[in-house]
Amino acid sequence: MTIMMVIQLLIVLLALYVGSRYGSLALGAISGIGLAILVFCFGLKPGVPPTDVIYIIIAAVTCAGVMQASGGMNWLIQIAERLLRKHPERITFYAPLCTFFLTVLVGTGHVVYTLMPIICDIALKKGIRPERPCAIASVASQVGITSSPIAAAVVAFTTISAQNGFNISIPQVLLVTIPASIIGILCASACSYKRGKDLDKDPDFQKRCANPETYKYMYDNTATVLDKKISADSKHAVYIFFTAIALIVMFAFSHIDIKMNIVIQIIMLATAALMIIFCKADPKKAVAGSVWQSGMVAVVAIYGIAWMADTYFSNYLTEMQTSLGDIVAKYKWSIAFVFFLVSILINSQGAVVVSMLPLAYSLGIPGPVLLGVLPSVYGYFFIPNYPSDIATVNFDRSGTTKIGKYLLNHSFMMPGLISVGVTTVVCYILSMIIY
């Protein structure tokens, strides 16, 4: 790499670092500063903004946000809560599976905010160290992104792969990512089952119990959504939403001339409209909801990050192929480490796919290999600054789920490394066997 390439790469990394420190919309907006410096100061040719992926995210998030506004999300959370309260002794295994499938169904991991206090409450009342189910449940909610038919990462993977000669449908992606993710989550759950000291042997927890006010705060409150009345309209909205997902999967199996990114946009927008008209979903509530707002933040992040990354890599594609070609040619799976490291920086699986997958294809890595390492785009548990992880720490009234004194010795590290590691290995094996 030349000195100029290194300087410009440092600008890209600096923009990502500063954006991650501010969080939310800043990650994409500050990437715009990096893009401006690359284009106007160094004269690089602007890359191509990822408009196809952005349109899909907007349509999917609008649809999911309208379902949340209809009350349908509360019904899904109620179903999950009933399962967890029926089997509290198995919460370390059932809780992450619930958060995983919620993400698979809705396309975003931010739906866990309502369920996480319930997980903590059930574990605490059962005498189970809440860190055990809470940490892996938070991780599992993000693992589910690469297993969701309407998640940006999956749609972006199929779209970019088709542009590079690897024609694979969304159901074909899920055929390997879903079973691989479940195996990875179960392995992490097994490792979390006896993690840490039992509550009756934990001196820090016992010290908290000795304080009457703290004890009351921990045990006198009950987190639940079972007391919420679910209307028929709310249930109908869920039925409509799931029908839309089924239609998307059906179209993916068919051989129609319309591109899948267009099909998804049409179905998602039409579905949102049907829920508004027939299920009394309030559009203003949808815009104010957590699903829509987090989705729009993802749009801005992908817009800025991917455009800046594409600008840098497209201008130095030949140099990248020369410097990385030998390593990648010998160890094609090593691109997983690149995906993982980039994810630590940018906190968005969709942005990692959009910004790094074209480079991976340009390096000559086959599509099946890239599908196999797709789960490695989730690495932002490594530094515990992601909203769902921070929220989980705050929801755990017992204080057992925490960020350590040295930052990296936090509750999410072990389940994150195990689940992502195992999921990636299993996904790679399945992809090599099937494709």
Side-chain angles (χ1 to χ4, degrees), residues 21 64 155 163 185 194 234 309 327 349 361-362 392:
R21 298 296 294 176
V155 175
Q163 294 169 353
I185 290 169
K194 290 295 183 180
S234 298
I327 298 176
Q349 296 179 52
Y361 274 116
S362 70
T392 300

Side-chain angles (χ1 to χ4, degrees), residues 78-119:
Q78 276 191 355
I79 294 172
E81 183 179 354
R82 288 194 183 96
L83 171 65
L84 296 177
R85 291 197 181 278
K86 187 177 181 180
H87 304 283
E89 71 283 356
R90 302 173 188 169
I91 194 168
T92 306
F93 288 94
Y94 286 179
L97 289 176
C98 286
T99 58
F100 169 77
F101 281 110
L102 279 173
T103 298
V104 170
L105 294 173
V106 182
T108 172
H110 293 285
V111 296
V112 301
Y113 295 137
T114 305
L115 187 59
M116 197 61 72
I118 297 170
I119 294 171

